[in-house]
């Protein structure tokens, strides 16, 4: 009996404590809790945009807000009861709401792969905004009618502050210049737009009932066998019957027309990517190219089902299967492709992972030589590859090597996704033989980012909530970035597939396109089969990196060594370079011995080519920001003539990129990814030797014996990977 009474007393006290859990939560604290709910709702809405369900943005936001509200009420109540049982004083429900909101926001950002410190700081900011909003609710209810409008100043101040932080004024100033002869302008061909697809797509009618042509499905089970159930539930198929869906822009006329395939990169699979290159499809079709944007959204990342294993293999394989599907259409009478497709002139354009897939497809034998399903590819010819901010990862322990294939890569310094110049490596692994007529070229754009090459990917390189903290004030408007892509890709394909030479100078010197391109900081590289190296490191570790009969000497430098060129992550770019550091001045001399001149006596070089990058100066314990060096080029050929390098192409400053809202935030945002603010980017300088002849008629290009680069100015450092002649 006594035990029963004791148990009842305990139950009574527990009930008493539970009933008293919220007795200290006066209307003041309740309104502060409402402000915390609003702050948590903002974080939940941002999470909804970054973790889509595929059922639509409106559904996602409503679902996440309802889930957050349920958790907010339930968790706040539970914590209040726990605090009451522990006899902790104060407004327990408010403290429960505060704890829940803080943990929620911290987990949202930490799950989105930011550092714990950054997540905690963001959580604190959300809590502060929530409390301020709660104070506004208090002021609003307490103020008289004629003073209520004054209470609006608080949320207005919060709104203006958040707007200034997350949507700062853009520092970019510029527009698209004129120029009717721009390769970015539409051509003379009219074109038709249609799609081909499986006919059964669950989410896009253009690949289902509205598809003009039905395509086959392909079995990729030889390359993947871990297709998650949630992925199959969303798409309605697995790896055994992947669809071949494409958006086509077809020029009117008999043809045959070169074929261009565009493939997107990795994005949330629920936000489809393939329509984002319509701006290129329309332009290229108007210029006489059959252009297809390939759908590979079913290989993209999803929060709910991850990314398929070996997705780079799959992306490449699917791209090649599209070529075979179009080949079948070409051979089948009555299709729009029938007899109009030049399968010996194929170009591949890829963005992000698609850029790597395009290069892999051009070197398909390295991965798929034994695949009987791709046997027909040998009857086609991939002549050119263009990559927009490509990745460059090892796939089955290998990387693509391109030989006698046109290659172009574009990359932006503001790219916070592929935040290092990965395409630089593929540039190095591309070679052009003497009589191939091919070239390789790169363009590094100071104000371009990753996502804006695709019109459906928005302005953020990372999805919310993390993407809200990216620096967008230094990024050019999307339409201007895509104009650069239009100009360069159109000129590239006109040169590579139509054989036009009027745009070739654009790749040798970006300033040639100044009347077509928006103002920006550009750095470009170019190399073709006419290049004759004197010094070229490549994968060569030796200190001089010279060919037979050439000797290098350096004087006045505080440092001279052969180093592996590194990106901002500290990883090698795949080639070596001579690193030259000076305090006041230094001279780097390339000597052509009698043996060299004897063996090359018949050659008359037209230009001197130098590939060089400005690098940061290692000042011991502290890295100094490098200044733009002053470089004079002295060539001895019977007589010596010395000219400033800036007379030919200006030496570019290094690009220092702040990826987030401020440099301080950069350091804690994602330290393992944004390690350095800069990386060396190489610029090609072509110096016509005729300019040296103009300064002294006794200068004889066939008698060159010395080439000396004189560096001066403030302490600086450069990397040189190539010196040689162009002999057309």
């Amino acid at each position: 009996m006594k035990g029963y009474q004791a148990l009842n007393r305990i139950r009574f006290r527990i009930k008493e404590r539970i009933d008293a859990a919220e007795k200290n939560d006066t209307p003041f604290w309740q309104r502060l809790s409402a402000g915390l709910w609003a702050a948590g709702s903002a974080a939940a809405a941002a999470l909804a945009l970054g973790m889509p369900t595929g059922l639509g943005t409106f559904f996602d936001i409503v679902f996440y807000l309802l889930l957050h509200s349920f958790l907010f009420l339930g968790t706040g109540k539970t914590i209040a009861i726990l605090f009451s049982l522990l006899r902790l004083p104060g407004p327990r429900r408010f403290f429960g709401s505060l704890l829940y909101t803080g943990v929620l926001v911290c987990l949202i950002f930490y799950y989105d792969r930011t550092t714990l410190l950054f997540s905690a700081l963001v959580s604190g900011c959300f809590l502060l905004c929530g409390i301020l909003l709660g104070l506004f609710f208090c002021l609003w209810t307490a103020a008289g009618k004629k003073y209520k409008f004054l209470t609006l100043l608080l949320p207005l101040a919060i709104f203006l502050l958040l707007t200034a932080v997350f949507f700062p004024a853009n520092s970019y100033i510029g527009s698209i210049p004129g120029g009717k002869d721009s390769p970015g302008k539409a051509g003379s061909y009219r074109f038709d737009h249609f799609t081909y697809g499986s006919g059964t797509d669950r989410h896009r009618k253009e690949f289902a009932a509205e598809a003009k042509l039905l395509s086959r499905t392909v079995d990729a089970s030889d390359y993947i066998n871990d297709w998650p159930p949630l992925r199959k539930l969303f798409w309605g198929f697995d790896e055994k019957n992947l669809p071949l869906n494409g958006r086509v822009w077809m020029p009117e006329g008999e043809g045959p027309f070169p074929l261009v395939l565009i493939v997107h990169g990795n994005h949330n699979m629920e936000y489809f990517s393939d329509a984002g290159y319509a701006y290129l499809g329309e332009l290229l079709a108007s210029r006489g190219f059959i252009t297809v944007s390939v759908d590979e959204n079913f290989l993209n990342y999803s929060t709910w089902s991850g990314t398929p294993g070996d997705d780079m293999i799959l992306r490449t394989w699917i791209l090649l299967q599209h070529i075979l599907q179009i080949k079948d259409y070409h051979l089948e009478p009555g299709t729009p492709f029938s007899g109009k497709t030049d399968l010996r002139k194929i170009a591949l354009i890829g963005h992000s992972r698609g850029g790597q897939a395009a290069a892999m497809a051009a070197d398909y034998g390295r991965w798929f030589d034994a695949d009987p399903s791709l046997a027909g590819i040998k009857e086609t010819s991939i002549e050119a590859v263009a990559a927009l901010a490509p990745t460059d990862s090892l796939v089955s322990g290998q990387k693509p090597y391109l030989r006698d294939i046109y290659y172009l890569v574009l990359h932006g310094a503001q790219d916070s996704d592929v935040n290092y110049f990965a395409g630089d490596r593929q540039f190095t692994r591309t070679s052009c033989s003497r009589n191939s007529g091919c070239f390789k070229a790169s363009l590094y754009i100071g104000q371009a980012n990753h996502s804006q090459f695709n019109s459906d990917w928005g302005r953020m390189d990372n999805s919310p909530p993390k993407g809200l903290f990216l620096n967008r004030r230094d990024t050019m408007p999307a339409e201007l970035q895509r104009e650069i892509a239009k100009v360069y890709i159109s000129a590239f394909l006109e040169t590579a597939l139509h054989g036009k030479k009027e745009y070739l100078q654009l790749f040798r010197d970006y300033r040639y396109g100044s009347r077509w391109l928006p103002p920006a900081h550009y750095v470009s590289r170019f190399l073709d089969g006419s290049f004759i190296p004197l010094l070229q490191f490549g994968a060569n570790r030796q200190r001089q990196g010279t060919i037979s009969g050439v000797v290098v000497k350096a004087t006045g430098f505080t440092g001279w060594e052969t180093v592996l060129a590194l990106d901002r992550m500290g990883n090698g770019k795949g080639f070596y370079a001579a690193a030259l550091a000076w305090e006041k001045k230094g001279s780097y001399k390339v000597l052509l011995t009698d043996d060299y001149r004897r063996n090359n006596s018949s050659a008359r070089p037209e230009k001197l080519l130098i590939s060089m990058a400005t690098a940061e100066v290692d000042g011991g314990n502290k890295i100094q920001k490098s200044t733009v060096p002053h470089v004079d080029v002295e060539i001895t050929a019977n007589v010596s003539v010395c000219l400033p390098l800036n007379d030919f192409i200006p030496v570019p400053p290094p690009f220092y990129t702040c990826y987030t809202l401020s440099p301080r935030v950069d350091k804690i945002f994602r330290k393992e990814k944004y390690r350095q603010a800069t990386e060396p980017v190489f610029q090609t300088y072509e110096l016509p030797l005729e300019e040296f002849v103009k300064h002294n008629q006794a200068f004889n290009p066939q008698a060159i014996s010395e080439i000396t680069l004189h560096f001066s100015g403030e302490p600086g450092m450069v990397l040189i990977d190539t010196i040689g002649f162009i002999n057309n």
Side-chain angles (χ1 to χ4, degrees), residues 66 154 158 329 635 727:
L66 289 175
L154 181 59
I158 296 175
Y329 290 146
I635 304 179
N727 187 11

Side-chain angles (χ1 to χ4, degrees), residues 444-462:
Y444 196 73
I445 310 159
Q447 290 79 21
N449 73 353
H450 190 80
S451 293
Q452 291 182 161
F453 287 119
N454 184 307
S455 63
D456 284 344
W457 282 10
R459 191 163 166 79
M460 297 181 190
D461 285 353
N462 301 130

Side-chain angles (χ1 to χ4, degrees), residues 46-58:
L47 182 64
L49 297 176
M51 293 179 59
T53 63
L55 299 176
T57 302
F58 178 77

Side-chain angles (χ1 to χ4, degrees), residues 23 91 99 115 146 148 173 212 218 224 266 279-280 310 322 345 375 413 442 575 585 608 612 633 640 676 719:
K23 73 174 185 177
L99 183 60
T115 64
K146 64 178 182 177
K148 279 189 180 292
I173 300 175
K212 188 170 185 177
V218 291
I224 183 175
N266 194 30
Y279 72 99
L280 287 176
D310 295 324
H322 273 267
K345 290 185 177 181
S442 74
F575 60 92
K585 60 182 179 180
L608 173 67
M612 183 176 72
V633 181
S640 293
Q676 301 294 334
L719 301 179

Side-chain angles (χ1 to χ4, degrees), residues 362 381-385 401-407 429-440 528-529:
S381 182
I382 298 171
E383 298 289 303
V385 172
Y401 284 77
L402 305 182
R403 180 170 177 80
D404 293 341
I405 291 176
Y406 291 90
Y407 183 71
R429 297 196 306 272
T430 301
S431 59
C432 305
S433 59
R434 176 69 179 171
N435 298 315
S436 67
C438 298
F439 65 80
K440 57 181 179 178
D528 64 8

Side-chain angles (χ1 to χ4, degrees), residues 139-181:
L139 291 174
W140 177 265
T141 55
K145 287 186 178 181
K146 64 178 182 177
Y147 295 110
K148 279 189 180 292
F149 76 95
L150 292 176
T151 64
L152 295 174
L153 294 177
L154 181 59
L156 179 61
I158 296 175
F159 174 77
L160 293 177
L161 176 62
L162 294 178
T163 300
V165 170
F166 292 109
F167 303 97
N170 199 304
S171 64
Y172 178 88
I173 300 175
S175 59
I176 302 173
K180 293 182 179 180
D181 57 342

Side-chain angles (χ1 to χ4, degrees), residues 582 614-617 623-629 653-654 656 715-718:
W582 66 91
T614 305
E616 287 188 315
V617 181
I623 299 294
Q624 304 174 20
K625 282 195 173 184
S626 185
T627 57
V628 180
Y656 289 93
M717 180 175 174
V718 297

